[in-house]
Amino acid sequence: QVQLVESGGGLVQPGGSLRLSCAASGFTFSNYAMSWYRQAPGKERELVATITRPGGRTNYADSVKGRFTISRDSAKNTVYLQMNSLKPEDTAVYFCNARNSYYNYWGQGIQVTVYS
């Protein structure tokens, strides 16, 4: 029943923008911190951005600060990642994550490719 459905990935040119969406269902959205992770081939999965609660504080990896923005819409049970000024090194599979003190849920991952 718990689902995190990602959308909005694809192919984009360097310097371009993309917005990822993650639609959550099957749990109480407001009780979970939401995050985006990414994993490039041959690399470990890394944390990109977190929003701790609705209207809460945000944290970003140094590599994306000033370029990416995480947000959440409580009415739609959806978390977003606005990605601007994209670079080839942003190419990865991006994963939506929901966590609280008891549970940790993952989306299936969605490909983002930034080509030179």
Side-chain angles (χ1 to χ4, degrees), residues 53-99:
R53 57 187 176 182
R57 301 181 69 85
T58 58
N59 293 296
Y60 298 93
D62 288 342
S63 59
V64 307
K65 285 181 180 177
R67 300 189 297 119
F68 291 9
T69 303
I70 189 170
S71 61
R72 61 195 294 167
D73 186 332
S74 296
K76 296 181 178 180
N77 286 356
T78 300
V79 63
Y80 304 95
L81 185 67
Q82 179 66 47
M83 310 165 69
N84 298 326
S85 302
L86 283 161
K87 304 175 180 179
E89 52 262 44
D90 295 318
T91 296
V93 176
Y94 284 70
F95 297 88
C96 181
N97 172 262
R99 65 173 176 86

Side-chain angles (χ1 to χ4, degrees), residues 7-54:
S7 62
L11 196 64
V12 67
Q13 296 183 14
S17 296
L18 208 59
R19 189 180 73 162
L20 303 182
S21 299
C22 174
S25 61
F27 63 96
T28 304
F29 183 70
S30 61
N31 288 344
Y32 287 76
M34 303 298 298
S35 297
W36 289 95
Y37 288 74
R38 68 186 182 187
Q39 187 168 24
K43 300 283 189 177
E44 294 184 348
R45 190 172 299 185
E46 64 174 349
L47 178 63
V48 176
T50 297
I51 185 164
T52 57
R53 57 187 176 182

